[in-house]
Amino acid sequence: MTEISLTTLTDELRAEAVADGALRASRVLKGEGRLRQVAIVLLPGGELPEHGNPGEARLIVMSGSVRFIEAATEVTHALTAGDYFVVPDALHSVEADAESLLLLSFAPVQ
């Protein structure tokens, strides 16, 4: 797969999130090799519970707005559409203030 419509993908993930009642859904775009990428849709109030960093990671907010919360310090980063964020190597969570499409790119620790 070399071309993906983010509009279509967002619609599909939104439908999955609503059907599951989880307020979130994701799809692996690239799951092998050094670079991995995952598209994530969070509906308002949806969250990614506290988790660690799988390796060097970057988060791009394609649409919407989220809060990235560092667990140890409770520092909160308000991220909105168009933001590029270097994910710190620490436990964190993400909470959606509005429906959001996130693109997570990471290189797992080998």
Side-chain angles (χ1 to χ4, degrees):
M1 179 179 345
T2 58
E3 184 176 330
I4 297 171
S5 165
L6 292 179
T7 302
T8 300
L9 179 61
T10 300
D11 291 344
E12 291 170 359
L13 291 174
R14 180 187 307 112
E16 287 177 29
V18 169
D20 292 344
L23 301 180
R24 71 172 189 241
S26 63
R27 176 103 26 95
V28 174
L29 303 178
K30 182 177 183 329
E32 69 287 332
R34 178 155 159 66
L35 175 67
R36 313 285 173 92
Q37 292 186 306
V38 179
I40 304 163
V41 163
L42 294 175
L43 299 181
E47 67 176 339
L48 299 175
E50 188 174 295
H51 59 282
N53 191 338
E56 186 176 352
R58 304 294 183 267
L59 184 67
I60 300 172
V61 181
M62 303 300 294
S63 63
S65 61
V66 299
R67 286 171 281 123
F68 183 100
I69 304 159
E70 296 182 44
T73 62
E74 296 186 12
V75 170
T76 299
H77 305 271
L79 306 173
T80 60
D83 285 348
Y84 173 93
F85 184 70
V86 177
V87 178
D89 188 14
L91 290 175
H92 58 273
S93 61
V94 179
E95 299 176 359
D97 295 319
E99 181 176 313
S100 302
L101 172 62
L102 310 175
L103 179 61
L104 174 66
S105 300
F106 62 98
V109 175
Q110 300 289 332

